[in-house]
Structures are given as C-alpha cells and as structure tokens.
mmCIF file of all heavy atoms in Angstrom:
data_model
loop_
_atom_site.group_PDB
_atom_site.id
_atom_site.type_symbol
_atom_site.label_atom_id
_atom_site.label_comp_id
_atom_site.label_asym_id
_atom_site.label_seq_id
_atom_site.Cartn_x
_atom_site.Cartn_y
_atom_site.Cartn_z
ATOM 1 N N ALA A 1 -7.661 -10.058 -4.384
ATOM 2 C CA ALA A 1 -8.372 -11.369 -4.261
ATOM 3 C C ALA A 1 -7.861 -12.109 -2.993
ATOM 4 O O ALA A 1 -8.629 -12.692 -2.230
ATOM 5 C CB ALA A 1 -8.287 -12.144 -5.498
ATOM 6 N N LEU A 2 -6.516 -12.123 -2.893
ATOM 7 C CA LEU A 2 -5.911 -12.964 -1.787
ATOM 8 C C LEU A 2 -6.331 -12.420 -0.409
ATOM 9 O O LEU A 2 -6.758 -13.191 0.475
ATOM 10 C CB LEU A 2 -4.419 -12.946 -1.841
ATOM 11 C CG LEU A 2 -3.718 -13.674 -0.799
ATOM 12 C CD1 LEU A 2 -3.994 -15.181 -0.920
ATOM 13 C CD2 LEU A 2 -2.102 -13.488 -1.082
ATOM 14 N N GLU A 3 -6.331 -11.134 -0.281
ATOM 15 C CA GLU A 3 -6.731 -10.523 0.989
ATOM 16 C C GLU A 3 -8.192 -10.720 1.361
ATOM 17 O O GLU A 3 -8.597 -10.997 2.395
ATOM 18 C CB GLU A 3 -6.396 -8.918 1.002
ATOM 19 C CG GLU A 3 -6.776 -8.262 2.298
ATOM 20 C CD GLU A 3 -6.522 -6.759 2.277
ATOM 21 O OE1 GLU A 3 -6.124 -6.244 1.123
ATOM 22 O OE2 GLU A 3 -6.690 -6.129 3.317
ATOM 23 N N ALA A 4 -9.007 -10.480 0.241
ATOM 24 C CA ALA A 4 -10.463 -10.677 0.436
ATOM 25 C C ALA A 4 -10.806 -12.173 0.814
ATOM 26 O O ALA A 4 -11.611 -12.393 1.669
ATOM 27 C CB ALA A 4 -11.165 -10.318 -0.859
ATOM 28 N N THR A 5 -10.147 -13.111 0.221
ATOM 29 C CA THR A 5 -10.476 -14.535 0.543
ATOM 30 C C THR A 5 -10.129 -14.815 1.930
ATOM 31 O O THR A 5 -10.799 -15.647 2.620
ATOM 32 C CB THR A 5 -9.618 -15.440 -0.454
ATOM 33 O OG1 THR A 5 -9.955 -15.140 -1.718
ATOM 34 C CG2 THR A 5 -9.892 -16.943 -0.098
ATOM 35 N N ARG A 6 -9.124 -14.216 2.520
ATOM 36 C CA ARG A 6 -8.716 -14.381 3.846
ATOM 37 C C ARG A 6 -9.602 -13.672 4.875
ATOM 38 O O ARG A 6 -10.019 -14.134 5.951
ATOM 39 C CB ARG A 6 -7.302 -13.972 4.095
ATOM 40 C CG ARG A 6 -6.772 -14.152 5.576
ATOM 41 C CD ARG A 6 -5.304 -13.718 5.589
ATOM 42 N NE ARG A 6 -5.158 -12.266 5.445
ATOM 43 C CZ ARG A 6 -4.605 -11.710 4.430
ATOM 44 N NH1 ARG A 6 -4.194 -12.454 3.425
ATOM 45 N NH2 ARG A 6 -4.439 -10.437 4.347
ATOM 46 N N ARG A 7 -9.992 -12.384 4.479
ATOM 47 C CA ARG A 7 -10.763 -11.557 5.440
ATOM 48 C C ARG A 7 -12.257 -11.819 5.484
ATOM 49 O O ARG A 7 -12.881 -11.728 6.512
ATOM 50 C CB ARG A 7 -10.481 -10.062 5.152
ATOM 51 C CG ARG A 7 -9.026 -9.656 5.359
ATOM 52 C CD ARG A 7 -8.888 -8.131 5.102
ATOM 53 N NE ARG A 7 -9.677 -7.405 6.094
ATOM 54 C CZ ARG A 7 -10.025 -6.105 5.874
ATOM 55 N NH1 ARG A 7 -9.587 -5.401 4.840
ATOM 56 N NH2 ARG A 7 -10.685 -5.487 6.843
ATOM 57 N N ILE A 8 -12.863 -12.012 4.364
ATOM 58 C CA ILE A 8 -14.350 -12.102 4.284
ATOM 59 C C ILE A 8 -14.906 -13.206 5.224
ATOM 60 O O ILE A 8 -15.901 -12.940 5.899
ATOM 61 C CB ILE A 8 -14.839 -12.321 2.776
ATOM 62 C CG1 ILE A 8 -14.483 -11.117 1.984
ATOM 63 C CG2 ILE A 8 -16.329 -12.549 2.750
ATOM 64 C CD1 ILE A 8 -14.831 -11.272 0.539
ATOM 65 N N PRO A 9 -14.463 -14.437 5.218
ATOM 66 C CA PRO A 9 -15.060 -15.409 6.038
ATOM 67 C C PRO A 9 -14.983 -14.976 7.638
ATOM 68 O O PRO A 9 -15.830 -15.286 8.383
ATOM 69 C CB PRO A 9 -14.182 -16.644 5.828
ATOM 70 C CG PRO A 9 -13.647 -16.504 4.456
ATOM 71 C CD PRO A 9 -13.333 -15.031 4.391
ATOM 72 N N ALA A 10 -13.887 -14.318 7.925
ATOM 73 C CA ALA A 10 -13.705 -13.863 9.365
ATOM 74 C C ALA A 10 -14.627 -12.738 9.725
ATOM 75 O O ALA A 10 -15.181 -12.612 10.871
ATOM 76 C CB ALA A 10 -12.271 -13.407 9.586
ATOM 77 N N MET A 11 -15.001 -11.901 8.691
ATOM 78 C CA MET A 11 -15.839 -10.740 8.993
ATOM 79 C C MET A 11 -17.270 -11.034 8.786
ATOM 80 O O MET A 11 -18.199 -10.309 9.277
ATOM 81 C CB MET A 11 -15.544 -9.612 8.034
ATOM 82 C CG MET A 11 -13.972 -9.145 8.166
ATOM 83 S SD MET A 11 -13.537 -7.606 7.429
ATOM 84 C CE MET A 11 -14.288 -6.430 8.615
ATOM 85 N N ARG A 12 -17.509 -12.158 8.125
ATOM 86 C CA ARG A 12 -18.948 -12.609 7.877
ATOM 87 C C ARG A 12 -19.960 -11.576 7.542
ATOM 88 O O ARG A 12 -20.991 -11.368 8.276
ATOM 89 C CB ARG A 12 -19.474 -13.367 9.253
ATOM 90 C CG ARG A 12 -18.514 -14.476 9.668
ATOM 91 C CD ARG A 12 -19.188 -15.306 10.759
ATOM 92 N NE ARG A 12 -20.347 -15.992 10.221
ATOM 93 C CZ ARG A 12 -21.233 -16.755 11.001
ATOM 94 N NH1 ARG A 12 -20.979 -16.823 12.246
ATOM 95 N NH2 ARG A 12 -22.249 -17.318 10.442
ATOM 96 N N PRO A 13 -19.771 -10.960 6.335
ATOM 97 C CA PRO A 13 -20.739 -10.094 5.836
ATOM 98 C C PRO A 13 -21.976 -10.783 5.358
ATOM 99 O O PRO A 13 -21.904 -12.010 5.094
ATOM 100 C CB PRO A 13 -20.054 -9.301 4.711
ATOM 101 C CG PRO A 13 -19.119 -10.371 4.246
ATOM 102 C CD PRO A 13 -18.630 -11.129 5.481
ATOM 103 N N ASP A 14 -23.085 -10.157 5.107
ATOM 104 C CA ASP A 14 -24.295 -10.752 4.494
ATOM 105 C C ASP A 14 -23.989 -10.815 3.012
ATOM 106 O O ASP A 14 -24.433 -11.865 2.315
ATOM 107 C CB ASP A 14 -25.530 -9.990 4.780
ATOM 108 C CG ASP A 14 -25.784 -9.872 6.258
ATOM 109 O OD1 ASP A 14 -25.948 -10.959 6.912
ATOM 110 O OD2 ASP A 14 -25.837 -8.742 6.839
ATOM 111 N N VAL A 15 -23.421 -9.846 2.390
ATOM 112 C CA VAL A 15 -23.238 -9.734 0.974
ATOM 113 C C VAL A 15 -21.737 -9.323 0.628
ATOM 114 O O VAL A 15 -21.269 -8.432 1.307
ATOM 115 C CB VAL A 15 -24.268 -8.723 0.333
ATOM 116 C CG1 VAL A 15 -24.049 -8.645 -1.166
ATOM 117 C CG2 VAL A 15 -25.671 -9.113 0.636
ATOM 118 N N MET A 16 -21.240 -10.006 -0.320
ATOM 119 C CA MET A 16 -19.915 -9.505 -0.829
ATOM 120 C C MET A 16 -20.026 -9.069 -2.275
ATOM 121 O O MET A 16 -20.533 -9.763 -3.099
ATOM 122 C CB MET A 16 -18.830 -10.630 -0.679
ATOM 123 C CG MET A 16 -19.302 -11.902 -1.193
ATOM 124 S SD MET A 16 -18.044 -13.230 -0.845
ATOM 125 C CE MET A 16 -18.913 -14.724 -1.419
ATOM 126 N N VAL A 17 -19.663 -7.825 -2.510
ATOM 127 C CA VAL A 17 -19.642 -7.207 -3.862
ATOM 128 C C VAL A 17 -18.191 -7.453 -4.483
ATOM 129 O O VAL A 17 -17.243 -6.810 -4.033
ATOM 130 C CB VAL A 17 -20.052 -5.850 -3.834
ATOM 131 C CG1 VAL A 17 -20.125 -5.250 -5.285
ATOM 132 C CG2 VAL A 17 -21.460 -5.685 -3.180
ATOM 133 N N LEU A 18 -18.019 -8.214 -5.460
ATOM 134 C CA LEU A 18 -16.734 -8.684 -5.953
ATOM 135 C C LEU A 18 -16.427 -8.272 -7.360
ATOM 136 O O LEU A 18 -17.222 -8.668 -8.260
ATOM 137 C CB LEU A 18 -16.585 -10.187 -5.764
ATOM 138 C CG LEU A 18 -17.059 -10.755 -4.405
ATOM 139 C CD1 LEU A 18 -17.199 -12.252 -4.526
ATOM 140 C CD2 LEU A 18 -16.019 -10.361 -3.393
ATOM 141 N N ASP A 19 -15.347 -7.597 -7.581
ATOM 142 C CA ASP A 19 -14.982 -7.241 -8.986
ATOM 143 C C ASP A 19 -14.601 -8.549 -9.691
ATOM 144 O O ASP A 19 -13.848 -9.356 -9.148
ATOM 145 C CB ASP A 19 -13.710 -6.316 -8.912
ATOM 146 C CG ASP A 19 -13.422 -5.731 -10.244
ATOM 147 O OD1 ASP A 19 -13.985 -5.996 -11.271
ATOM 148 O OD2 ASP A 19 -12.389 -5.010 -10.391
ATOM 149 N N ALA A 20 -15.026 -8.640 -10.962
ATOM 150 C CA ALA A 20 -14.866 -9.879 -11.713
ATOM 151 C C ALA A 20 -13.329 -10.101 -12.046
ATOM 152 O O ALA A 20 -12.881 -11.195 -12.144
ATOM 153 C CB ALA A 20 -15.667 -9.927 -12.940
ATOM 154 N N ARG A 21 -12.590 -9.004 -12.265
ATOM 155 C CA ARG A 21 -11.280 -9.025 -12.742
ATOM 156 C C ARG A 21 -10.325 -8.247 -11.868
ATOM 157 O O ARG A 21 -10.519 -7.042 -11.613
ATOM 158 C CB ARG A 21 -11.136 -8.512 -14.185
ATOM 159 C CG ARG A 21 -11.988 -9.251 -15.210
ATOM 160 C CD ARG A 21 -11.829 -8.715 -16.548
ATOM 161 N NE ARG A 21 -12.694 -9.507 -17.531
ATOM 162 C CZ ARG A 21 -12.709 -9.201 -18.775
ATOM 163 N NH1 ARG A 21 -12.000 -8.272 -19.310
ATOM 164 N NH2 ARG A 21 -13.497 -9.884 -19.693
ATOM 165 N N LEU A 22 -9.309 -8.969 -11.281
ATOM 166 C CA LEU A 22 -8.448 -8.391 -10.348
ATOM 167 C C LEU A 22 -7.008 -8.709 -10.743
ATOM 168 O O LEU A 22 -6.728 -9.758 -11.433
ATOM 169 C CB LEU A 22 -8.636 -8.849 -8.959
ATOM 170 C CG LEU A 22 -10.080 -8.535 -8.328
ATOM 171 C CD1 LEU A 22 -10.376 -9.433 -7.246
ATOM 172 C CD2 LEU A 22 -10.083 -7.058 -7.927
ATOM 173 N N PRO A 23 -6.005 -7.882 -10.414
ATOM 174 C CA PRO A 23 -4.616 -8.173 -10.767
ATOM 175 C C PRO A 23 -4.085 -9.541 -10.285
ATOM 176 O O PRO A 23 -3.294 -10.162 -10.929
ATOM 177 C CB PRO A 23 -3.864 -7.012 -10.117
ATOM 178 C CG PRO A 23 -4.802 -5.896 -9.950
ATOM 179 C CD PRO A 23 -6.138 -6.579 -9.619
ATOM 180 N N ASP A 24 -4.608 -9.936 -9.084
ATOM 181 C CA ASP A 24 -4.124 -11.244 -8.512
ATOM 182 C C ASP A 24 -5.101 -12.346 -8.527
ATOM 183 O O ASP A 24 -5.000 -13.324 -7.826
ATOM 184 C CB ASP A 24 -3.582 -10.966 -7.049
ATOM 185 C CG ASP A 24 -4.719 -10.585 -6.159
ATOM 186 O OD1 ASP A 24 -5.732 -10.081 -6.558
ATOM 187 O OD2 ASP A 24 -4.626 -10.817 -4.964
ATOM 188 N N GLY A 25 -6.150 -12.168 -9.378
ATOM 189 C CA GLY A 25 -7.143 -13.259 -9.391
ATOM 190 C C GLY A 25 -8.482 -12.775 -9.849
ATOM 191 O O GLY A 25 -8.525 -11.901 -10.810
ATOM 192 N N SER A 26 -9.596 -13.212 -9.378
ATOM 193 C CA SER A 26 -10.891 -12.815 -9.817
ATOM 194 C C SER A 26 -11.928 -12.935 -8.723
ATOM 195 O O SER A 26 -11.745 -13.758 -7.760
ATOM 196 C CB SER A 26 -11.346 -13.607 -11.063
ATOM 197 O OG SER A 26 -11.719 -14.918 -10.623
ATOM 198 N N GLY A 27 -12.992 -12.105 -8.864
ATOM 199 C CA GLY A 27 -14.073 -12.267 -7.862
ATOM 200 C C GLY A 27 -14.730 -13.571 -7.976
ATOM 201 O O GLY A 27 -15.396 -14.000 -7.032
ATOM 202 N N ILE A 28 -14.657 -14.270 -9.126
ATOM 203 C CA ILE A 28 -15.279 -15.536 -9.395
ATOM 204 C C ILE A 28 -14.625 -16.535 -8.327
ATOM 205 O O ILE A 28 -15.309 -17.254 -7.599
ATOM 206 C CB ILE A 28 -15.026 -16.119 -10.781
ATOM 207 C CG1 ILE A 28 -15.714 -15.170 -11.739
ATOM 208 C CG2 ILE A 28 -15.458 -17.541 -10.911
ATOM 209 C CD1 ILE A 28 -15.411 -15.488 -13.184
ATOM 210 N N ASP A 29 -13.272 -16.588 -8.280
ATOM 211 C CA ASP A 29 -12.590 -17.495 -7.398
ATOM 212 C C ASP A 29 -12.879 -17.090 -5.914
ATOM 213 O O ASP A 29 -13.068 -17.980 -5.045
ATOM 214 C CB ASP A 29 -11.164 -17.447 -7.610
ATOM 215 C CG ASP A 29 -10.670 -18.032 -8.967
ATOM 216 O OD1 ASP A 29 -11.363 -19.004 -9.393
ATOM 217 O OD2 ASP A 29 -9.712 -17.602 -9.598
ATOM 218 N N VAL A 30 -12.930 -15.786 -5.570
ATOM 219 C CA VAL A 30 -13.078 -15.371 -4.270
ATOM 220 C C VAL A 30 -14.554 -15.829 -3.833
ATOM 221 O O VAL A 30 -14.703 -16.294 -2.734
ATOM 222 C CB VAL A 30 -12.976 -13.817 -4.173
ATOM 223 C CG1 VAL A 30 -13.466 -13.396 -2.756
ATOM 224 C CG2 VAL A 30 -11.576 -13.365 -4.396
ATOM 225 N N CYS A 31 -15.516 -15.577 -4.655
ATOM 226 C CA CYS A 31 -16.967 -15.985 -4.385
ATOM 227 C C CYS A 31 -16.993 -17.505 -4.068
ATOM 228 O O CYS A 31 -17.506 -17.919 -3.063
ATOM 229 C CB CYS A 31 -17.834 -15.554 -5.503
ATOM 230 S SG CYS A 31 -19.589 -15.851 -5.189
ATOM 231 N N ARG A 32 -16.402 -18.278 -5.015
ATOM 232 C CA ARG A 32 -16.448 -19.694 -4.716
ATOM 233 C C ARG A 32 -15.782 -20.186 -3.515
ATOM 234 O O ARG A 32 -16.240 -20.986 -2.752
ATOM 235 C CB ARG A 32 -15.963 -20.424 -5.967
ATOM 236 C CG ARG A 32 -15.942 -21.927 -5.870
ATOM 237 C CD ARG A 32 -15.322 -22.659 -7.016
ATOM 238 N NE ARG A 32 -16.073 -22.460 -8.226
ATOM 239 C CZ ARG A 32 -15.671 -21.589 -9.262
ATOM 240 N NH1 ARG A 32 -14.498 -21.006 -9.161
ATOM 241 N NH2 ARG A 32 -16.425 -21.463 -10.263
ATOM 242 N N ASP A 33 -14.562 -19.652 -3.267
ATOM 243 C CA ASP A 33 -13.763 -20.024 -2.142
ATOM 244 C C ASP A 33 -14.439 -19.650 -0.806
ATOM 245 O O ASP A 33 -14.485 -20.405 0.162
ATOM 246 C CB ASP A 33 -12.346 -19.425 -2.174
ATOM 247 C CG ASP A 33 -11.512 -19.972 -3.289
ATOM 248 O OD1 ASP A 33 -11.810 -21.040 -3.830
ATOM 249 O OD2 ASP A 33 -10.511 -19.307 -3.678
ATOM 250 N N VAL A 34 -14.983 -18.465 -0.786
ATOM 251 C CA VAL A 34 -15.646 -17.970 0.426
ATOM 252 C C VAL A 34 -16.915 -18.750 0.680
ATOM 253 O O VAL A 34 -17.203 -19.256 1.851
ATOM 254 C CB VAL A 34 -16.000 -16.426 0.320
ATOM 255 C CG1 VAL A 34 -16.947 -16.060 1.539
ATOM 256 C CG2 VAL A 34 -14.785 -15.622 0.373
ATOM 257 N N ARG A 35 -17.707 -19.005 -0.374
ATOM 258 C CA ARG A 35 -18.953 -19.790 -0.141
ATOM 259 C C ARG A 35 -18.621 -21.224 0.189
ATOM 260 O O ARG A 35 -19.519 -21.899 0.778
ATOM 261 C CB ARG A 35 -19.861 -19.604 -1.401
ATOM 262 C CG ARG A 35 -20.454 -18.250 -1.521
ATOM 263 C CD ARG A 35 -21.346 -18.070 -2.736
ATOM 264 N NE ARG A 35 -22.360 -19.160 -2.900
ATOM 265 C CZ ARG A 35 -23.469 -19.206 -2.224
ATOM 266 N NH1 ARG A 35 -23.770 -18.290 -1.276
ATOM 267 N NH2 ARG A 35 -24.294 -20.194 -2.436
ATOM 268 N N SER A 36 -17.489 -21.762 -0.192
ATOM 269 C CA SER A 36 -17.147 -23.093 0.255
ATOM 270 C C SER A 36 -16.888 -23.216 1.706
ATOM 271 O O SER A 36 -17.212 -24.227 2.293
ATOM 272 C CB SER A 36 -15.854 -23.554 -0.522
ATOM 273 O OG SER A 36 -15.479 -24.831 -0.200
ATOM 274 N N VAL A 37 -16.446 -22.102 2.260
ATOM 275 C CA VAL A 37 -16.250 -22.001 3.709
ATOM 276 C C VAL A 37 -17.582 -21.703 4.464
ATOM 277 O O VAL A 37 -17.964 -22.189 5.463
ATOM 278 C CB VAL A 37 -15.162 -21.005 4.087
ATOM 279 C CG1 VAL A 37 -15.054 -20.762 5.602
ATOM 280 C CG2 VAL A 37 -13.834 -21.414 3.481
ATOM 281 N N ASP A 38 -18.256 -20.683 3.881
ATOM 282 C CA ASP A 38 -19.454 -20.225 4.543
ATOM 283 C C ASP A 38 -20.574 -19.855 3.390
ATOM 284 O O ASP A 38 -20.612 -18.801 2.876
ATOM 285 C CB ASP A 38 -19.255 -18.951 5.363
ATOM 286 C CG ASP A 38 -20.465 -18.456 6.188
ATOM 287 O OD1 ASP A 38 -21.603 -18.991 5.906
ATOM 288 O OD2 ASP A 38 -20.309 -17.660 7.032
#
C-alpha cells in the first residue's frame, strides 16, 4: 500500500485496481489517499 500510494499519483493511470487487504494497509486507504490528490 505504501509504495502504491506514492507511485500512483505520479504515474496518473486512468484506473487503479486495488486489493482490499494488504500486509501494510488496505486498498481502501490507497484509493482514498490517491483520490484526495487526484
């Protein structure tokens, strides 16, 4: 999750497919954090 949160806004994909459960967080947090930026 940490790496994705950092990389996704920089890469600016149209769609991010996010696993809901991750060892270091969740796709829920990643989705919200990324969409807060973009």
Side-chain angles (χ1 to χ4, degrees):
L2 182 62
E3 181 183 5
T5 301
R6 182 177 66 251
R7 294 185 63 196
I8 292 175
M11 303 194 74
R12 302 193 66 185
D14 299 300
V15 180
M16 48 185 174
V17 180
L18 311 167
D19 191 2
R21 299 181 181 181
L22 299 159
D24 65 335
S26 74
I28 297 172
D29 292 328
V30 173
C31 186
R32 180 183 293 107
D33 291 345
V34 169
R35 286 179 54 77
S36 180
V37 175
D38 188 347

